[in-house]
Amino acid sequence: MGNLEIESNVLEQMSMREHEQILFCTDKATGLKAMIAIHNTVLGPALGGTRMWTYENEAQALKDVMRLSRGMTYKAAISGLNLGGGKAVIIGDSRTLKNEALMRRFGKFVDSLGGKYITAEDVGMSPIDMEYIHDETDHVVGIPESLGGGGDPSPVTAYGVYMGMKASAKYAYGSDSLSGKRVVVQGAGHVGQYLIDYLVEEGASVGVSDIFEDKLKEVTSKHSKVDVVDANSIYSQDMDIYAPCALGATVNDDTLKELKCKIIAGAANNQLQQEEKHGQMVREMGIVYAPDFLINAGGLINCYSELEGYNRERAMKKTEVIYDTTLNTMKYADDNNIPNYMAANQLAEKRIEAIGNLNKVL
Ligand code: NAD
């Protein structure tokens, strides 16, 4: 019953969060159950990945797809891209439910939107799944280089995070040099490892934590000067910069009691456990927080580049702009005495409004 109640006010939920359209997809033959949410297309087609997840119920899946698609609108807007925000979820266990027919059926649903929604890989999806979807629609990005795509976006994401971190240093210390700064990276995964390469190259003192030994080994065997930090005591470390590159919600009531850093800048999504509360807290504590959706947009910029005919060099150049955007956002936050995350949100909204107004004139 609870589910029905929530689902009975879908349109109300959509209008509350200003969603344009949600496509509900089912297919009995393949067992596909999916939702494609288009939040906003003022700036361009709605781009966002497809996530496959074992949601407890449909209401949870709906909530997630609405939240994530809205986030994509803001990420694209603050990054200066001509893209709107969208996201898709496939309900089910990615280890057992996947097969070619299901993915291709999903691809047909994506195609039915005629390019209004462009999909990409997200949690629970793999490159082969994206290839199946691509068999049915051209509206896919993040496909392998062999198929003319941009391939793994992680190096580009890492470069953007590095740019955002340097801009944060410029704001906090007056110089963007990270040489001699103590940076602790949480998560030696795809993005974390590329980020560490940049930090070591610049002469930062780098610590890294991960829950898997082999990930740590990969880093320390490449960079002898990088030291391992215990994953459980990472927040109380002496550090200038905390770089969350693993999980969301690591900036919260508990960790803020321990964190002594000057800057938080990393790749993880949704770093502030409660945006309003913890965004305000970090500002009051004098910690410079680089908004996650702003500095981790390199992956999205990489996807966007595919739409223009992929070129890695151009994607990196576009990603470099994150440096200026981060500084501008921090200045706007100061001018308006608001937390940095809020400044980024407001700047994104202003851009959507300004560009939207252009459509009203010939
Ligand atoms: P990944 O899965 O390759 O790496 C994450 C790493 O974090 C893994 O090595 C994992 O073992 C480690 N980890 C998990 N829990 C941990 C903990 N408690 N302490 C320390 N380490 C822990 O993921 P990724 O692609 O490198 O992405 C990292 C983060 O950045 C994710 O939150 C992701 O959503 C976000 N992000 C990634 C991209 C991208 O292009 N890959 C783009 C935007 C945002």
Side-chain angles (χ1 to χ4, degrees), residues 75 153-154 157 186-192 209-212 215 231 245-247 267-269 296 299:
K75 185 183 277 210
S154 308
T157 302
Q186 182 182 47
H190 288 98
V191 181
S209 82
D210 203 288
I211 48 172
F212 292 112
K215 291 279 167 195
C245 295
L247 316 159
N269 286 310
N296 75 11

Side-chain angles (χ1 to χ4, degrees), residues 80-195:
L81 305 178
N82 294 323
L83 285 178
K87 201 86 183 183
V89 295
I90 298 177
I91 301 172
D93 190 336
S94 63
R95 289 164 303 179
T96 54
L97 190 70
K98 273 187 193 173
N99 59 60
E100 178 187 353
L102 180 135
M103 286 300 160
R104 291 182 67 158
R105 185 70 186 96
F106 176 71
K108 280 184 180 294
F109 278 114
V110 171
D111 201 58
S112 74
L113 290 163
K116 197 170 175 186
Y117 168 67
I118 301 168
T119 197
E121 193 178 323
D122 197 75
V123 177
M125 300 292 279
S126 68
I128 184 74
D129 300 325
M130 302 319 291
E131 286 189 36
Y132 290 142
I133 293 170
H134 190 235
D135 283 340
E136 302 298 334
T137 182
D138 286 336
H139 307 300
V140 187
V141 289
I143 50 177
E145 280 158 295
S146 56
L147 293 176
D152 179 13
S154 308
V156 189
T157 302
Y159 186 56
V161 171
Y162 175 57
M163 287 294 112
M165 192 183 283
K166 281 180 76 67
S168 304
K170 174 84 180 161
Y171 174 88
Y173 306 115
S175 158
D176 67 13
S177 170
L178 298 176
S179 175
K181 293 281 183 278
R182 173 72 174 163
V183 186
V184 176
V185 179
Q186 182 182 47
H190 288 98
V191 181
Q193 291 205 21
Y194 286 111
L195 177 63

Side-chain angles (χ1 to χ4, degrees), residues 43-107:
L43 296 175
L47 195 150
T50 296
R51 177 169 291 193
M52 187 161 184
W53 196 252
T54 49
Y55 293 100
E56 270 173 33
N57 52 49
E58 290 170 19
Q60 259 194 19
L62 179 64
K63 196 170 160 197
D64 210 29
V65 82
M66 290 178 83
R67 179 180 67 85
L68 295 166
S69 56
R70 190 168 188 271
M72 292 307 294
T73 296
Y74 281 80
K75 185 183 277 210
I78 192 73
S79 306
L81 305 178
N82 294 323
L83 285 178
K87 201 86 183 183
V89 295
I90 298 177
I91 301 172
D93 190 336
S94 63
R95 289 164 303 179
T96 54
L97 190 70
K98 273 187 193 173
N99 59 60
E100 178 187 353
L102 180 135
M103 286 300 160
R104 291 182 67 158
R105 185 70 186 96
F106 176 71

Side-chain angles (χ1 to χ4, degrees), residues 233-258:
S233 59
I234 183 171
Y235 306 108
S236 59
Q237 296 287 315
D238 277 326
M239 56 182 147
D240 299 300
I241 303 173
Y242 164 52
C245 295
L247 316 159
T250 65
V251 181
N252 56 46
D253 285 348
D254 294 333
T255 58
L256 283 175
K257 283 187 198 130
E258 297 184 22

